Amino acid sequence: MKFTWKKGVILSAVSILAGSAILGNVLNDVHVDAVPTAINGIQDAVHETADQVLHASDQGTFSVGGMLMDTDGNVVYTQHNNVVTNDLVFDPTAHGERQMIDWYYENKESLDLPEPEKIILVTSLDPCAMCTGSILQAGFANVVVSANDTYAGINYDKSALFPSLSGTSMQADAQASFSYPAVLGSTAKFSREATGVPVSPIFGDNTAIEDQTYALTSTAFDATLNDVSNKINTDLPEDQLLDPKMLATTDPIYVALKAAYPHALEYTAPSPNNPDEGLAPYLIEAAEQDIANGGDGNAVALLDRFGNLIMVTAGNQAVSEIQTPFMLATRGYAKLRYNLQMDGVSNATQYLGHPKYNTFIYAKGPEINPQGLADFGAFGSTMEGAIPTDRTQFQYGVERATQAELDAFADGLPPFYSDDDSVNVHIKETANQDLIAALAAGLPTTIK
């Protein structure tokens, strides 16, 4: 039997609303008193995720939680959202589902975890695009969802048909694995009929969520949404940012940059947001490392608003299939900023601005597959709101999916990603043809 942690007290939805997003110190976020836990029915499963919802709310991050369980009904792992920690952005991709899937891949062999087709993921909130891509890449047997999310959720229209995935094999995969159980309630707001694929047979006849548990998962998220989104968007305006190339080599920001990526600040684009062929060697070097790390020879560069090279990342898919170059780039930049702020470097974000002012450049464009979906979603989670429209923050060099295919895919994503007044995720081919030619000539051709 696998192990999880003793359930905390599940507060009622009324208490969540009365307390708004703040639960004070009702819960201690340190997991203690490990005991075996088995799940008996859908209500029990969603109740377990609601416990994680409360931990997330107490931490001051998005109130979302989830768990992995095996098809014998044993809890394998629980986790909650960790986007915000200590009132700072810790990792914009640290949604519960993404973290659980990384944990699964990282520990599958050492802990002798079941194969994906014997794993069930239960989540308190409809997965976003990033988490949906991650889930579909993992190939779990069943995904059980409590609360709806009509803005960023993959089932935003509540049809369980997943029109955002139309024209791809991902649509059929989602339709065959995502379950939205019935909610037994006496009010229209907190009741629903079951949609999606029937839940796994392991839940027996207990296939519905009680309305109070469902209300908690829904209202707790709503209560924290605006507050946490605002925390992610408290950076200085662009005109107050300073060029890190002006830092002394002994400055802690400069030292941290070089520690994170030794080639940081060695290259500067001719103009912000417009890299040239001088960037190619850095991308090619990382793409070679990507192959060594189990990838297909891709890499992502991050330039700041001055055009300075901040970092270039390879993926690490030998460790986790969802650790793509882009995923590690956005996580790496967030970690750099977070650690500096936690170390008391008060001007860290004056030199390392909000990522919406930066430029991410792929060596090879994303494909329209689960990893590509996860990357599109991770870009949205990184921005967490409207971005400047006078530049292209998301670029690629060598084409894989055509530009028309990428545009159509982006236009069909849930409203958070596709609306003009939100992130409006679109990736575009870089304008510099010399950079494209240098990448096409120099990128490694070996694929996994």
Side-chain angles (χ1 to χ4, degrees):
M1 178 177 284
K2 307 303 178 185
F3 292 85
T4 185
W5 308 101
K6 187 176 293 182
K7 295 178 185 177
V9 178
I10 297 294
L11 304 182
S12 70
V14 174
S15 298
I16 290 286
L17 290 172
S20 184
I22 306 300
L23 297 181
N25 292 317
V26 172
L27 294 171
N28 183 342
D29 200 43
V30 178
H31 289 158
V32 294
D33 299 330
V35 294
T37 301
I39 297 298
N40 297 301
I42 287 294
Q43 166 58 26
D44 200 12
V46 175
H47 186 277
E48 190 77 26
T49 72
D51 186 32
Q52 291 300 310
V53 165
L54 297 182
H55 283 289
S57 184
D58 193 52
Q59 184 174 304
T61 189
F62 294 113
S63 294
V64 183
M67 73 170 178
L68 300 179
M69 55 185 291
D70 64 26
T71 50
D72 291 324
N74 301 311
V75 173
V76 174
Y77 184 64
T78 60
Q79 184 56 275
H80 59 68
N81 184 287
N82 280 294
V83 167
V84 170
T85 302
N86 296 310
D87 282 331
L88 298 172
V89 176
F90 171 70
D91 176 355
T93 77
H95 296 194
E97 302 96 321
R98 196 281 296 159
Q99 294 176 93
M100 290 191 293
I101 293 165
D102 263 335
W103 178 90
Y104 173 79
Y105 279 125
E106 291 166 0
N107 293 279
K108 182 176 182 297
E109 184 175 346
S110 63
L111 296 181
D112 192 26
L113 299 175
E115 293 302 313
E117 60 269 20
K118 294 185 177 181
I119 291 287
I120 296 169
L121 185 149
V122 185
T123 177
S124 68
L125 185 72
D126 192 30
C128 68
M130 174 185 67
C131 293
T132 299
S134 300
I135 291 166
L136 294 176
Q137 182 67 31
F140 293 147
N142 190 200
V143 181
V144 177
V145 181
S146 181
N148 299 311
D149 182 352
T150 58
Y151 192 42
I154 198 64
N155 188 32
Y156 68 94
D157 66 351
K158 302 183 184 179
S159 70
L161 297 176
F162 310 106
S164 292
L165 308 178
S166 62
T168 75
S169 61
M170 293 184 286
Q171 185 176 35
D173 291 342
Q175 290 174 350
S177 57
F178 279 57
S179 303
Y180 298 84
V183 177
L184 303 178
S186 58
T187 65
K189 184 174 182 180
F190 298 122
S191 61
R192 74 178 180 206
E193 295 183 356
T195 56
V197 69
V199 298
S200 171
I202 72 156
F203 294 110
D205 295 331
N206 303 317
T207 60
I209 307 170
E210 294 176 5
D211 56 354
Q212 291 186 355
T213 305
Y214 174 79
L216 188 151
T217 61
S218 176
T219 57
F221 173 70
D222 290 342
T224 54
L225 179 58
N226 288 336
D227 182 54
V228 178
S229 295
N230 290 337
K231 289 178 185 177
I232 297 173
N233 285 286
T234 56
D235 278 73
L236 294 170
E238 187 175 18
D239 61 6
Q240 293 184 27
L241 298 179
L242 299 177
D243 189 341
K245 288 190 78 171
M246 306 304 294
L247 291 166
T249 58
T250 55
D251 187 281
I253 300 172
Y254 183 94
V255 172
L257 277 167
K258 287 293 189 178
Y261 180 61
H263 297 308
L265 306 179
E266 287 183 6
Y267 167 82
T268 301
S271 61
N273 199 238
N274 290 295
D276 63 5
E277 67 275 15
L279 181 61
Y282 301 97
L283 283 165
I284 292 167
E285 178 183 54
E288 292 169 347
Q289 183 62 49
D290 184 65
I291 289 177
N293 293 353
D296 63 357
N298 206 357
V300 169
L302 173 61
L303 306 183
D304 69 10
R305 63 91 52 216
F306 301 98
N308 298 316
L309 179 63
I310 299 300
M311 62 179 61
V312 182
T313 56
N316 198 10
Q317 292 174 55
V319 171
S320 169
E321 291 184 17
I322 62 171
Q323 289 187 11
T324 64
F326 177 77
M327 200 74 76
L328 296 188
T330 189
R331 290 169 64 178
Y333 186 65
K335 179 181 178 181
L336 180 65
R337 285 166 34 104
Y338 177 83
N339 287 344
L340 284 166
Q341 291 175 90
M342 287 299 293
D343 287 343
V345 181
S346 60
N347 62 342
T349 58
Q350 193 166 20
Y351 288 93
L352 302 172
H354 192 287
K356 66 186 176 185
Y357 303 126
N358 296 344
T359 307
F360 294 91
I361 306 101
Y362 284 75
K364 298 189 290 190
E367 296 180 285
I368 299 175
N369 60 16
Q371 291 172 329
L373 175 61
D375 276 9
F376 271 82
F379 180 86
S381 296
T382 297
M383 301 304 155
E384 195 58 41
I387 60 178
T389 58
D390 60 348
R391 70 201 75 182
T392 302
Q393 294 92 338
F394 209 24
Q395 302 181 21
Y396 66 88
V398 176
E399 181 181 271
R400 291 197 284 188
T402 69
Q403 186 65 65
E405 290 170 336
L406 293 169
D407 287 344
F409 185 64
D411 288 339
L413 291 173
F416 172 73
Y417 308 97
S418 55
D419 281 1
D420 289 340
D421 60 354
S422 186
V423 179
N424 196 5
V425 177
H426 279 85
I427 188 166
K428 298 291 184 181
E429 182 181 76
T430 190
N432 190 287
Q433 294 300 307
D434 290 336
L435 173 56
I436 296 172
L439 291 171
L443 283 171
T445 57
T446 302
I447 61 173
K448 61 179 179 178

PDB file of all heavy atoms in Angstrom, residues 8 19 46 105 140 159 166 190 212 233 246-247 274 283 320 338 364 390 394 414 431 444:
ATOM      1  N   GLY A   8      -6.880  16.655   7.029  1.00  0.00           N
ATOM      2  CA  GLY A   8      -7.146  17.771   7.916  1.00  0.00           C
ATOM      3  C   GLY A   8      -8.649  17.972   8.036  1.00  0.00           C
ATOM      4  O   GLY A   8      -9.449  17.258   7.455  1.00  0.00           O
ATOM      5  N   GLY A  19     -14.594  33.696   5.357  1.00  0.00           N
ATOM      6  CA  GLY A  19     -13.204  34.044   5.615  1.00  0.00           C
ATOM      7  C   GLY A  19     -12.494  34.578   4.410  1.00  0.00           C
ATOM      8  O   GLY A  19     -11.304  34.853   4.463  1.00  0.00           O
ATOM      9  N   VAL A  46     -12.787  13.186  -3.798  1.00  0.00           N
ATOM     10  CA  VAL A  46     -12.817  14.647  -3.913  1.00  0.00           C
ATOM     11  C   VAL A  46     -12.601  15.296  -2.555  1.00  0.00           C
ATOM     12  O   VAL A  46     -11.976  16.363  -2.442  1.00  0.00           O
ATOM     13  CB  VAL A  46     -14.133  15.106  -4.566  1.00  0.00           C
ATOM     14  CG1 VAL A  46     -14.232  16.632  -4.576  1.00  0.00           C
ATOM     15  CG2 VAL A  46     -14.231  14.564  -5.990  1.00  0.00           C
ATOM     16  N   TYR A 105       6.720  10.842 -12.650  1.00  0.00           N
ATOM     17  CA  TYR A 105       7.830  10.448 -13.518  1.00  0.00           C
ATOM     18  C   TYR A 105       9.141  10.342 -12.737  1.00  0.00           C
ATOM     19  O   TYR A 105       9.926   9.412 -12.936  1.00  0.00           O
ATOM     20  CB  TYR A 105       8.000  11.466 -14.643  1.00  0.00           C
ATOM     21  CG  TYR A 105       7.047  11.290 -15.801  1.00  0.00           C
ATOM     22  CD1 TYR A 105       6.245  12.349 -16.221  1.00  0.00           C
ATOM     23  CD2 TYR A 105       6.953  10.085 -16.489  1.00  0.00           C
ATOM     24  CE1 TYR A 105       5.373  12.209 -17.296  1.00  0.00           C
ATOM     25  CE2 TYR A 105       6.088   9.930 -17.554  1.00  0.00           C
ATOM     26  CZ  TYR A 105       5.301  11.000 -17.961  1.00  0.00           C
ATOM     27  OH  TYR A 105       4.446  10.858 -19.021  1.00  0.00           O
ATOM     28  N   PHE A 140      -2.766   8.738 -18.055  1.00  0.00           N
ATOM     29  CA  PHE A 140      -3.414   8.091 -16.915  1.00  0.00           C
ATOM     30  C   PHE A 140      -4.773   7.505 -17.311  1.00  0.00           C
ATOM     31  O   PHE A 140      -5.427   7.964 -18.240  1.00  0.00           O
ATOM     32  CB  PHE A 140      -3.597   9.087 -15.774  1.00  0.00           C
ATOM     33  CG  PHE A 140      -2.311   9.549 -15.141  1.00  0.00           C
ATOM     34  CD1 PHE A 140      -2.184  10.835 -14.642  1.00  0.00           C
ATOM     35  CD2 PHE A 140      -1.223   8.699 -15.040  1.00  0.00           C
ATOM     36  CE1 PHE A 140      -1.008  11.263 -14.055  1.00  0.00           C
ATOM     37  CE2 PHE A 140      -0.041   9.106 -14.452  1.00  0.00           C
ATOM     38  CZ  PHE A 140       0.071  10.399 -13.964  1.00  0.00           C
ATOM     39  N   SER A 159     -19.101  20.927 -21.933  1.00  0.00           N
ATOM     40  CA  SER A 159     -19.664  19.911 -22.810  1.00  0.00           C
ATOM     41  C   SER A 159     -18.964  18.566 -22.691  1.00  0.00           C
ATOM     42  O   SER A 159     -19.511  17.541 -23.113  1.00  0.00           O
ATOM     43  CB  SER A 159     -19.580  20.376 -24.267  1.00  0.00           C
ATOM     44  OG  SER A 159     -18.223  20.382 -24.711  1.00  0.00           O
ATOM     45  N   SER A 166      -9.923  19.872 -30.915  1.00  0.00           N
ATOM     46  CA  SER A 166     -10.483  19.297 -32.143  1.00  0.00           C
ATOM     47  C   SER A 166      -9.428  19.219 -33.235  1.00  0.00           C
ATOM     48  O   SER A 166      -8.539  20.064 -33.333  1.00  0.00           O
ATOM     49  CB  SER A 166     -11.679  20.126 -32.628  1.00  0.00           C
ATOM     50  OG  SER A 166     -11.270  21.438 -32.950  1.00  0.00           O
ATOM     51  N   PHE A 190     -24.916  24.499  -7.139  1.00  0.00           N
ATOM     52  CA  PHE A 190     -24.079  23.440  -6.581  1.00  0.00           C
ATOM     53  C   PHE A 190     -24.692  22.062  -6.836  1.00  0.00           C
ATOM     54  O   PHE A 190     -24.828  21.223  -5.934  1.00  0.00           O
ATOM     55  CB  PHE A 190     -23.849  23.677  -5.091  1.00  0.00           C
ATOM     56  CG  PHE A 190     -23.117  24.952  -4.799  1.00  0.00           C
ATOM     57  CD1 PHE A 190     -23.687  25.922  -3.988  1.00  0.00           C
ATOM     58  CD2 PHE A 190     -21.876  25.203  -5.358  1.00  0.00           C
ATOM     59  CE1 PHE A 190     -23.005  27.110  -3.720  1.00  0.00           C
ATOM     60  CE2 PHE A 190     -21.202  26.395  -5.103  1.00  0.00           C
ATOM     61  CZ  PHE A 190     -21.770  27.350  -4.292  1.00  0.00           C
ATOM     62  N   GLN A 212     -21.742  19.961  -0.698  1.00  0.00           N
ATOM     63  CA  GLN A 212     -20.900  20.787   0.162  1.00  0.00           C
ATOM     64  C   GLN A 212     -19.423  20.662  -0.216  1.00  0.00           C
ATOM     65  O   GLN A 212     -18.682  21.649  -0.208  1.00  0.00           O
ATOM     66  CB  GLN A 212     -21.111  20.411   1.625  1.00  0.00           C
ATOM     67  CG  GLN A 212     -22.484  20.810   2.157  1.00  0.00           C
ATOM     68  CD  GLN A 212     -22.625  20.554   3.639  1.00  0.00           C
ATOM     69  OE1 GLN A 212     -21.724  19.983   4.275  1.00  0.00           O
ATOM     70  NE2 GLN A 212     -23.735  20.982   4.218  1.00  0.00           N
ATOM     71  N   ASN A 233       1.131  39.961 -10.639  1.00  0.00           N
ATOM     72  CA  ASN A 233       1.254  41.130 -11.507  1.00  0.00           C
ATOM     73  C   ASN A 233       1.542  42.406 -10.728  1.00  0.00           C
ATOM     74  O   ASN A 233       0.982  43.466 -10.999  1.00  0.00           O
ATOM     75  CB  ASN A 233      -0.018  41.291 -12.339  1.00  0.00           C
ATOM     76  CG  ASN A 233      -0.108  40.272 -13.459  1.00  0.00           C
ATOM     77  OD1 ASN A 233       0.583  40.368 -14.453  1.00  0.00           O
ATOM     78  ND2 ASN A 233      -0.958  39.265 -13.272  1.00  0.00           N
ATOM     79  N   MET A 246      24.511  46.579 -16.780  1.00  0.00           N
ATOM     80  CA  MET A 246      25.146  47.681 -16.071  1.00  0.00           C
ATOM     81  C   MET A 246      25.572  47.289 -14.654  1.00  0.00           C
ATOM     82  O   MET A 246      26.224  48.072 -13.968  1.00  0.00           O
ATOM     83  CB  MET A 246      24.186  48.878 -16.003  1.00  0.00           C
ATOM     84  CG  MET A 246      23.655  49.318 -17.363  1.00  0.00           C
ATOM     85  SD  MET A 246      24.978  49.700 -18.547  1.00  0.00           S
ATOM     86  CE  MET A 246      25.712  51.146 -17.763  1.00  0.00           C
ATOM     87  N   LEU A 247      25.221  46.095 -14.225  1.00  0.00           N
ATOM     88  CA  LEU A 247      25.562  45.652 -12.876  1.00  0.00           C
ATOM     89  C   LEU A 247      27.052  45.348 -12.746  1.00  0.00           C
ATOM     90  O   LEU A 247      27.688  44.870 -13.691  1.00  0.00           O
ATOM     91  CB  LEU A 247      24.773  44.388 -12.526  1.00  0.00           C
ATOM     92  CG  LEU A 247      23.264  44.536 -12.333  1.00  0.00           C
ATOM     93  CD1 LEU A 247      22.614  43.159 -12.340  1.00  0.00           C
ATOM     94  CD2 LEU A 247      22.956  45.268 -11.031  1.00  0.00           C
ATOM     95  N   ASN A 274      14.046  41.168 -30.973  1.00  0.00           N
ATOM     96  CA  ASN A 274      14.416  40.820 -32.355  1.00  0.00           C
ATOM     97  C   ASN A 274      15.809  40.200 -32.397  1.00  0.00           C
ATOM     98  O   ASN A 274      16.782  40.840 -32.823  1.00  0.00           O
ATOM     99  CB  ASN A 274      14.360  42.061 -33.248  1.00  0.00           C
ATOM    100  CG  ASN A 274      12.942  42.541 -33.483  1.00  0.00           C
ATOM    101  OD1 ASN A 274      12.138  41.848 -34.096  1.00  0.00           O
ATOM    102  ND2 ASN A 274      12.625  43.727 -32.974  1.00  0.00           N
ATOM    103  N   LEU A 283      21.559  28.434 -28.631  1.00  0.00           N
ATOM    104  CA  LEU A 283      20.446  27.503 -28.790  1.00  0.00           C
ATOM    105  C   LEU A 283      20.925  26.126 -29.258  1.00  0.00           C
ATOM    106  O   LEU A 283      20.445  25.095 -28.782  1.00  0.00           O
ATOM    107  CB  LEU A 283      19.427  28.076 -29.779  1.00  0.00           C
ATOM    108  CG  LEU A 283      18.508  29.171 -29.239  1.00  0.00           C
ATOM    109  CD1 LEU A 283      17.807  29.899 -30.376  1.00  0.00           C
ATOM    110  CD2 LEU A 283      17.470  28.589 -28.275  1.00  0.00           C
ATOM    111  N   SER A 320      11.486  13.513 -16.649  1.00  0.00           N
ATOM    112  CA  SER A 320      10.032  13.668 -16.721  1.00  0.00           C
ATOM    113  C   SER A 320       9.668  14.085 -18.134  1.00  0.00           C
ATOM    114  O   SER A 320      10.233  15.044 -18.672  1.00  0.00           O
ATOM    115  CB  SER A 320       9.545  14.718 -15.724  1.00  0.00           C
ATOM    116  OG  SER A 320       8.190  15.044 -15.965  1.00  0.00           O
ATOM    117  N   TYR A 338      12.690  34.482  -7.519  1.00  0.00           N
ATOM    118  CA  TYR A 338      12.214  34.129  -6.178  1.00  0.00           C
ATOM    119  C   TYR A 338      13.372  34.038  -5.187  1.00  0.00           C
ATOM    120  O   TYR A 338      13.306  34.606  -4.086  1.00  0.00           O
ATOM    121  CB  TYR A 338      11.466  32.796  -6.235  1.00  0.00           C
ATOM    122  CG  TYR A 338      10.999  32.292  -4.899  1.00  0.00           C
ATOM    123  CD1 TYR A 338       9.816  32.751  -4.323  1.00  0.00           C
ATOM    124  CD2 TYR A 338      11.746  31.332  -4.190  1.00  0.00           C
ATOM    125  CE1 TYR A 338       9.389  32.280  -3.092  1.00  0.00           C
ATOM    126  CE2 TYR A 338      11.323  30.866  -2.960  1.00  0.00           C
ATOM    127  CZ  TYR A 338      10.143  31.337  -2.415  1.00  0.00           C
ATOM    128  OH  TYR A 338       9.729  30.877  -1.185  1.00  0.00           O
ATOM    129  N   LYS A 364      13.333  25.120 -32.228  1.00  0.00           N
ATOM    130  CA  LYS A 364      12.356  24.501 -33.123  1.00  0.00           C
ATOM    131  C   LYS A 364      10.970  24.753 -32.557  1.00  0.00           C
ATOM    132  O   LYS A 364      10.741  24.579 -31.356  1.00  0.00           O
ATOM    133  CB  LYS A 364      12.614  22.994 -33.256  1.00  0.00           C
ATOM    134  CG  LYS A 364      13.966  22.647 -33.866  1.00  0.00           C
ATOM    135  CD  LYS A 364      14.098  21.167 -34.186  1.00  0.00           C
ATOM    136  CE  LYS A 364      14.183  20.303 -32.958  1.00  0.00           C
ATOM    137  NZ  LYS A 364      14.553  18.895 -33.288  1.00  0.00           N
ATOM    138  N   ASP A 390       2.619  45.102 -28.533  1.00  0.00           N
ATOM    139  CA  ASP A 390       3.511  45.726 -29.509  1.00  0.00           C
ATOM    140  C   ASP A 390       4.746  44.882 -29.796  1.00  0.00           C
ATOM    141  O   ASP A 390       5.717  45.365 -30.365  1.00  0.00           O
ATOM    142  CB  ASP A 390       3.938  47.114 -29.020  1.00  0.00           C
ATOM    143  CG  ASP A 390       4.688  47.063 -27.686  1.00  0.00           C
ATOM    144  OD1 ASP A 390       4.678  46.000 -27.025  1.00  0.00           O
ATOM    145  OD2 ASP A 390       5.268  48.102 -27.310  1.00  0.00           O
ATOM    146  N   PHE A 394       6.693  35.298 -27.791  1.00  0.00           N
ATOM    147  CA  PHE A 394       6.731  33.840 -27.939  1.00  0.00           C
ATOM    148  C   PHE A 394       7.119  33.566 -29.389  1.00  0.00           C
ATOM    149  O   PHE A 394       6.321  33.784 -30.302  1.00  0.00           O
ATOM    150  CB  PHE A 394       5.330  33.322 -27.627  1.00  0.00           C
ATOM    151  CG  PHE A 394       5.237  31.938 -27.072  1.00  0.00           C
ATOM    152  CD1 PHE A 394       6.283  31.327 -26.400  1.00  0.00           C
ATOM    153  CD2 PHE A 394       4.047  31.225 -27.205  1.00  0.00           C
ATOM    154  CE1 PHE A 394       6.145  30.051 -25.883  1.00  0.00           C
ATOM    155  CE2 PHE A 394       3.900  29.957 -26.694  1.00  0.00           C
ATOM    156  CZ  PHE A 394       4.954  29.357 -26.024  1.00  0.00           C
ATOM    157  N   PRO A 414      -9.084  27.675 -24.569  1.00  0.00           N
ATOM    158  CA  PRO A 414     -10.055  28.308 -23.667  1.00  0.00           C
ATOM    159  C   PRO A 414      -9.859  29.820 -23.579  1.00  0.00           C
ATOM    160  O   PRO A 414      -8.778  30.348 -23.885  1.00  0.00           O
ATOM    161  CB  PRO A 414      -9.771  27.618 -22.326  1.00  0.00           C
ATOM    162  CG  PRO A 414      -9.265  26.265 -22.716  1.00  0.00           C
ATOM    163  CD  PRO A 414      -8.426  26.504 -23.943  1.00  0.00           C
ATOM    164  N   ALA A 431      11.520  36.901 -36.823  1.00  0.00           N
ATOM    165  CA  ALA A 431      11.588  37.697 -38.050  1.00  0.00           C
ATOM    166  C   ALA A 431      12.934  37.587 -38.757  1.00  0.00           C
ATOM    167  O   ALA A 431      13.021  37.843 -39.963  1.00  0.00           O
ATOM    168  CB  ALA A 431      11.292  39.165 -37.729  1.00  0.00           C
ATOM    169  N   PRO A 444      21.164  19.831 -34.018  1.00  0.00           N
ATOM    170  CA  PRO A 444      21.392  18.381 -34.148  1.00  0.00           C
ATOM    171  C   PRO A 444      20.170  17.716 -34.770  1.00  0.00           C
ATOM    172  O   PRO A 444      19.035  18.146 -34.564  1.00  0.00           O
ATOM    173  CB  PRO A 444      21.606  17.926 -32.704  1.00  0.00           C
ATOM    174  CG  PRO A 444      20.959  18.980 -31.856  1.00  0.00           C
ATOM    175  CD  PRO A 444      21.125  20.260 -32.602  1.00  0.00           C
TER     176      PRO A 444
END
